[in-house]
Amino acid sequence: MKNEDQRFLREAIEEARAGMDRGDGGPFGCVIVKDGRVVGRGNNRVTSANDPTAHAEVVAIRDACSALQAFQLEGCTVYTSCEPCPMCLGALYWARPARVVYAATRLDAAAAGFDDQLIYDELPLLPAERRLHMEQDLRDEANGVFTAWLAKTDRTPY
């Protein structure tokens, strides 16, 4: 690992500590770097914002995309204090950074009371087999919107 990676990873860890100390939420932090400078920062704000999606990575992605005026993180490196949870991992795939560097593992997080194993176990199941009750209806109507999207000549693909 490069010294620069360790420097930015330490910044992510400090974001985690500072947010935790302020009472923002859990002990997670993230910084996003492009061309050697931080373009986005975030710490967990789940409990202070009453927002279950306000994980450090999601907050940092929103901050970086706003700063870059872009909906993707092309050429960026995401430094996060912990291996991303399934939600954050999904957000990172959508954001498309060049790479992700993390410190603690998901097993370390589980030992601290942040266990995402249920989600990992549920993902491969069919919707009807998951613990979260899911129902599906109006497929044809929804597909009509997809058909309109495909016919739209001024759409921005992503």
Side-chain angles (χ1 to χ4, degrees):
M1 181 170 288
K2 299 181 274 183
N3 287 338
E4 182 176 86
D5 285 339
Q6 291 181 344
R7 178 170 64 98
F8 289 124
L9 203 49
R10 284 187 177 103
E11 283 196 46
I13 294 167
E14 185 48 39
E15 287 286 331
R17 184 179 307 284
M20 178 189 68
D21 289 347
R22 280 192 306 271
D24 290 350
F28 302 95
C30 181
V31 297
I32 299 176
V33 175
K34 183 168 188 172
D35 300 326
R37 71 179 185 88
V38 175
V39 296
R41 294 180 178 277
N43 62 276
N44 184 289
R45 297 177 186 167
V46 168
T47 56
S48 62
N50 293 316
D51 179 354
T53 69
H55 289 201
E57 295 90 340
V58 172
V59 172
I61 288 168
R62 291 173 180 161
D63 189 42
C65 286
S66 178
L68 296 171
Q69 292 296 289
F71 58 84
Q72 293 180 340
L73 299 175
E74 188 174 316
C76 293
T77 299
V78 175
Y79 295 91
T80 183
S81 65
C82 187
E83 180 180 356
C85 76
M87 177 185 70
C88 293
L89 186 59
L92 288 162
Y93 271 101
W94 282 116
R96 294 183 175 94
R99 65 193 188 111
V100 176
V101 180
Y102 63 91
T105 70
R106 72 188 208 196
L107 298 177
D108 298 326
F114 300 93
D115 193 351
D116 300 322
Q117 192 59 48
L118 170 67
I119 300 169
Y120 287 107
D121 292 343
E122 293 272 303
L123 284 173
L125 300 177
L126 294 173
E129 297 172 345
R130 294 179 183 152
R131 290 186 190 190
L132 179 61
H133 180 79
M134 300 179 81
E135 297 179 24
Q136 190 264 325
D137 199 1
L138 300 177
R139 183 178 180 190
D140 290 340
E141 289 182 36
N143 276 322
V145 180
F146 287 140
T147 300
W149 170 256
L150 291 171
K152 191 173 167 54
T153 58
D154 64 342
R155 71 179 187 263
T156 301
Y158 58 96

